[in-house]
Amino acid sequence: MVSATRQLTEPHVLAHTKRRLFPDADATDAYAVVDTQFARTSWVAEAEIDAAVTQTLAPFNHVQIGSGYPDLVGVRNLDSDLLAVERFGDSPPLVVVEAKGYTGSGTVDVERGIVQAHDRLHEANAAYVAAPARAISQSNRALARELNVGVLGVDAGGSVESLEVPRVVGNRTADEARSIRFQASAQGVANKSFGLNHPKNYLAYPLALYHPDDTASVLCEYVVAATDDARAGAAFLDLVDVGPTRERLTPLGREVVRFARREYGSVDAALRTFDDWKRSRKRFCDLAPKWGLLTRRVVYDYPATQLLVEELQRMHEDGIPEPTLVEVVEYLHELHPSFTVELFVRGDENVRGRVLDADGELQRAALEEGVVYHSPTVFQLKAMLYHAGILTTRGAGPSNLDPTADTWALRESVV
């Protein structure tokens, strides 16, 4: 029992559970974060938490679900031995986990974990308590069944057994949890990147895909050789749907093709125009005004753009017309804390641990370091917003970024 007590503290239980529920960090339509309290270096009796455990638990964020902050919040289609559901709409369910482990006194409060998990069901689709298997009693399991809470038993070797399977419920996802759904979608920035910083490279991809010749060859000849980056960016902007065996145009991607054919007569003619724009440093909306308007529409359909523009407008109305990156992050965090962290801050455990304290509060000193920021947001997305005529300045890579001087101002504020 002494060995199990040492090996199954709350962080260990949660790490084993996360590996079971989210075995592939890069899986499509899956993403999970662990509460910021687990970013600390010690837990029971000041015993140091293994670096491997912390790495498994990362990334960290402080996401409110119900009246509290679950230990884990994630989105994924779970197997039938974990979740009782035949089908859940068109998107994976939002699941939460409350972990309980051995304390310094050698006890485990499983019942409290069940009650906490049940509270999260007001806004989650499924809730679990995870605890050392030997500490879970029959009365715990009966209470969990009554409250529709799943029970996961963890042993010292890391195996996780599903003892009680919850039913999925169709609760509405709260605003804070939408940041996790966003990251799990094809448009999330976690572990992914807008690899190119000019929107023309993404707008050209549906044209190349529609073209009868090989997509990569067409794209390389007229636009850019970085086919994978162009495809990824086009998917983020919802221009193409990339499946395991085939790609297809989305409704927005088909509209780009229609626009090209209407303006130039053919996709070939439109692509030849793209060839003329190679290496141009001019703002895209000034270089090609009609394409600039289309870019604005496409980029504005990206969920992160809508949030940024609306809040930058509010900052302008509040007397902050040219906020710095640090000011933007601090302002947004007051209104949309989880979304702000997911959009701007790298998921690396060391970075999240420095930017957020155990209560999920921002640490300004860390925000003044360029290296803590997501390149897809502060460099590539910002550059695209500049080319679309939305922002006044281009983006900069984290290594060259001074967050205290990097301006995020709307080119056209509504006054």
Side-chain angles (χ1 to χ4, degrees):
M1 175 63 77
V2 173
S3 176
T5 301
R6 187 183 304 113
Q7 295 176 25
L8 289 177
T9 62
E10 205 163 299
H12 290 88
V13 167
L14 191 57
H16 293 316
T17 302
K18 186 181 178 186
R19 291 191 193 100
R20 176 71 173 86
L21 298 182
F22 296 87
D24 183 359
D26 296 322
T28 303
D29 293 335
Y31 183 72
V33 295
V34 166
D35 191 68
T36 48
Q37 64 176 313
F38 291 93
R40 59 203 226 202
T41 58
S42 61
W43 198 263
V44 174
E46 299 305 313
E48 187 173 332
I49 300 173
D50 295 340
V53 171
T54 303
Q55 186 175 4
T56 297
L57 295 176
F60 302 102
N61 204 342
H62 199 49
V63 184
Q64 183 170 8
I65 306 289
S67 65
Y69 299 85
D71 294 333
L72 180 149
V73 184
V75 172
R76 179 174 177 258
N77 280 319
L78 300 178
D79 297 334
S80 58
D81 63 328
L82 292 168
L83 187 60
V85 59
E86 294 181 1
R87 178 173 173 77
F88 182 74
D90 296 323
S91 59
L94 180 82
V95 300
V96 299
V97 176
E98 293 292 346
K100 296 300 174 185
Y102 288 107
T103 64
S105 62
T107 60
V108 183
D109 196 347
V110 180
E111 182 174 332
R112 181 166 181 263
I114 294 170
V115 173
Q116 289 174 321
H118 178 254
D119 171 76
R120 315 307 181 224
L121 279 176
H122 295 299
E123 294 171 354
N125 302 122
Y128 298 85
V129 63
R134 295 179 62 176
I136 300 170
S137 67
Q138 289 300 318
S139 61
N140 292 151
R141 293 180 59 170
L143 176 62
R145 283 196 300 273
E146 181 180 343
L147 298 180
N148 190 28
V149 170
V151 178
L152 302 172
V154 183
D155 68 24
S159 296
V160 179
E161 182 181 1
S162 180
L163 302 177
E164 298 295 337
V165 179
R167 302 179 307 280
V168 71
V169 293
N171 288 334
R172 175 181 294 180
T173 299
D175 287 343
E176 278 297 87
R178 286 195 177 94
S179 64
I180 309 304
R181 285 204 179 281
F182 171 71
Q183 288 291 47
S185 73
Q187 295 184 304
V189 297
N191 301 319
K192 307 180 181 96
S193 173
F194 282 116
L196 306 166
N197 57 18
H198 200 300
K200 69 178 178 62
N201 299 312
Y202 305 132
L203 288 171
Y205 194 85
L207 303 184
L209 182 61
Y210 178 81
H211 197 282
D213 293 343
D214 176 69
T215 301
S217 299
V218 171
L219 200 70
C220 185
E221 179 179 357
Y222 293 109
V223 189
V224 67
T227 305
D228 289 344
D229 286 336
R231 180 190 301 111
F236 290 170
L237 293 173
D238 196 31
L239 297 172
V240 296
D241 182 16
V242 180
T245 59
R246 63 186 293 269
E247 302 170 44
R248 64 179 180 85
L249 295 173
T250 64
L252 189 58
R254 289 194 291 272
E255 186 59 27
V256 172
V257 172
R258 293 188 189 99
F259 171 83
R261 294 177 65 184
R262 182 174 66 249
E263 293 296 319
Y264 298 93
S266 70
V267 166
D268 269 315
L271 286 168
R272 285 195 291 272
T273 305
F274 275 76
D275 192 31
D276 295 338
W277 295 331
K278 286 181 178 178
R279 291 173 292 279
S280 173
R281 294 284 297 171
K282 194 172 182 180
R283 190 196 289 257
F284 194 41
C285 62
D286 297 330
L287 176 67
K290 288 186 177 180
W291 278 103
L293 288 174
L294 182 61
T295 299
R296 192 181 186 104
R297 174 188 169 184
V298 169
V299 174
Y300 202 84
D301 270 358
Y302 185 64
T305 300
Q306 298 172 28
L307 181 142
L308 284 170
V309 171
E310 288 302 307
E311 299 308 338
L312 288 175
Q313 174 65 39
R314 290 174 194 252
M315 294 186 77
H316 187 277
E317 294 167 359
D318 289 346
I320 316 172
E322 296 186 333
T324 66
L325 176 57
V326 173
E327 290 173 327
V328 169
V329 172
E330 289 183 320
Y331 189 95
L332 262 63
H333 191 262
E334 289 293 322
L335 302 169
H336 316 279
S338 300
F339 198 101
T340 302
V341 171
E342 296 301 328
L343 183 60
F344 282 96
V345 182
R346 287 171 48 205
D348 177 89
E349 63 266 28
N350 294 321
V351 169
R352 291 278 175 99
R354 288 193 295 115
V355 171
L356 300 171
D357 65 16
D359 296 319
E361 296 299 320
L362 291 175
Q363 305 301 294
R364 184 184 174 91
L367 291 179
E368 296 178 356
E369 304 173 31
V371 293
V372 307
Y373 290 93
H374 262 316
S375 177
T377 299
V378 300
F379 186 17
Q380 286 87 359
L381 177 59
K382 190 185 179 192
M384 289 192 291
L385 296 178
Y386 165 82
H387 280 294
I390 295 173
L391 296 183
T392 59
T393 58
R394 301 174 186 267
S399 61
N400 299 315
L401 179 66
D402 178 0
T404 63
D406 185 50
T407 302
W408 288 63
L410 292 177
R411 192 184 190 193
E412 300 164 336
S413 297
V414 179
V415 294

